[in-house]
Amino acid sequence: MSGESRQKAYHTESIAVTFEAGRCLHAAECVRGLPEVFDPEKRPWIRPDQASAGDLAEVVRRCPSGALKYAFEDGRREDPDRPTTITRGPTGQLTVRGELRVDTEQGPSEETRAVLCGCAQSRSLPYCDHAGPCGR
């Protein structure tokens, strides 16, 4: 998986939601927040037309890993949290929210949310993928 970035986009007239499976840590904030939109038992599993753009953006912002992102069709994007916060979990992974520039194998990535590996055993460095002890 290292070096790969597979995003899938789901669109309505007013918002696009993207999902990057390799970054998903299954926190299930999306499923709990809008089960009518995010249903892993259905295909497609994201149906953005089942909620308002505002409600959808609010729930996507709950995704700690940044696997889910959104952009309004008028060009507006998620505003980063200020100040930037970094929280170390009990196993060492770092949950970061704010205005971020993350160095990846593909080059710098502008982010607003990420879960970073604290043990260097992830196959998706610098992101945590639960492969090592910090993600367990």
Side-chain angles (χ1 to χ4, degrees), residues 21-119:
R23 289 196 39 199
C24 182
L25 298 177
H26 307 288
E29 292 293 334
C30 56
V31 175
R32 282 190 297 276
L34 284 172
E36 64 276 16
V37 173
F38 300 97
D39 185 345
E41 301 300 317
K42 293 190 177 174
R43 296 292 173 259
W45 82 277
I46 299 175
R47 295 178 319 281
D49 57 335
Q50 299 298 307
S52 72
D55 288 347
L56 195 50
E58 178 185 326
V59 169
V60 167
R61 281 191 294 267
R62 295 180 199 169
C63 174
S65 69
L68 286 169
K69 296 179 182 170
Y70 71 88
F72 290 102
E73 293 296 340
D74 65 8
R76 290 179 293 142
R77 297 193 176 281
E78 180 176 348
D79 290 326
D81 289 358
R82 289 190 176 92
T84 297
T85 60
I86 302 171
T87 307
R88 180 178 290 280
T91 57
Q93 67 187 16
L94 302 169
T95 301
V96 186
R97 297 181 74 90
E99 193 167 8
L100 314 172
R101 180 178 173 201
V102 179
D103 290 331
T104 71
E105 288 182 2
Q106 295 80 28
S109 177
E110 302 297 321
E111 303 281 343
T112 58
R113 294 169 280 114
V115 176
L116 303 176
C117 181
C119 67

Side-chain angles (χ1 to χ4, degrees), residues 114-134:
V115 176
L116 303 176
C117 181
C119 67
Q121 293 185 26
S122 172
R123 297 173 302 261
S124 299
L125 288 173
Y127 306 108
C128 184
D129 69 357
H130 285 177
C134 79

